[in-house]
Amino acid sequence: KVCGLALGLILCYTAGVIWYTTVYLRDTSLSALISALTIGVVPFIIPDIIKLTVAILIDRKLKIIKN
């Protein structure tokens, strides 16, 4: 489950970076990629890791209650 959640998050980040560089910046250079990562990914890494951790903990608690 952890791998699935992480993979889903990576796919969302990838789609966002591709969209930001091609549609908003209209540039696919390395500097545009760095800009997209800096603006669209880096600020959200820690909050998203916290959300994934909370989701995993809730899942484990629900399994205990279910059994």
Side-chain angles (χ1 to χ4, degrees), residues 22-64:
T22 57
V23 175
Y24 187 74
L25 295 177
R26 293 193 171 111
D27 185 6
T28 56
S29 66
L30 181 61
S31 63
L33 177 63
I34 292 170
S35 175
L37 289 171
T38 303
I39 293 171
V41 175
V42 173
F44 301 103
I45 290 175
I46 292 175
D48 284 341
I49 289 172
I50 292 170
K51 287 188 280 186
L52 291 178
T53 304
V54 170
I56 291 166
L57 292 173
I58 290 172
D59 180 60
R60 289 182 182 168
K61 291 289 184 185
L62 290 175
K63 283 183 181 177
I64 292 171

